[in-house]
Amino acid sequence: QVQLVESGGGLVQPGGSLKLSCVASTSSFSFLTMGWYRQAPGKQRELVAAIRSGGSTNYADSVKGRFTISRDNAKNTVYLQMNSLSPEDTAVYWCNARTTYTSYWGQGTQVTVSS
């Protein structure tokens, strides 16, 4: 069982930045594929960014060039640096940890972009 605890959400003005963090309670963190998902009101949950154990990453087209996912295996932590935020980025953001056989989710953190 892997527990994921997100932090860093909040209210930010358009054009601003936020950095989300997710700490995983597992000694196998370095082997996990970690991802950030989000769900806006009335929309389906979508993958925002993912980073594999080897460090390769992928991003949703809507966030390319603005968001950066990274990981610190020594701290069992994955980050999502979000820049140039727009109201369209408003959503609940979830951290996800995935193995070959299962998937774990955090509790979610709200990100609101509004003036």
Side-chain angles (χ1 to χ4, degrees):
Q1 188 76 6
V2 177
Q3 291 186 328
L4 303 172
V5 179
E6 301 112 331
S7 61
L11 174 64
V12 63
Q13 292 187 341
S17 298
L18 278 177
K19 187 174 185 177
L20 305 182
S21 301
C22 171
V23 180
S25 62
T26 175
S27 58
S28 302
F29 178 81
S30 62
F31 299 104
L32 300 174
T33 293
M34 301 299 299
W36 287 96
Y37 288 74
R38 69 183 181 186
Q39 186 170 19
K43 295 186 177 181
Q44 290 187 329
R45 187 179 298 191
E46 63 172 349
L47 174 66
V48 177
I51 183 166
R52 296 167 187 78
S53 57
S56 61
T57 59
N58 61 279
Y59 296 90
D61 288 343
S62 59
V63 307
K64 283 181 181 177
R66 300 188 298 123
F67 290 12
T68 302
I69 189 170
S70 60
R71 66 191 298 160
D72 185 338
N73 291 336
K75 295 182 178 180
N76 282 12
T77 301
V78 62
Y79 304 97
L80 185 68
Q81 177 67 48
M82 305 185 291
N83 299 328
S84 302
L85 287 162
S86 72
E88 289 69 36
D89 296 314
T90 295
V92 177
Y93 285 71
W94 284 276
C95 177
N96 173 267
R98 182 163 50 87
T99 70
T100 302
Y101 306 105
T102 192
S103 182
Y104 302 94
W105 295 91
Q107 80 283 0
T109 185
Q110 176 70 44
V111 172
T112 302
V113 184
S114 175
S115 55

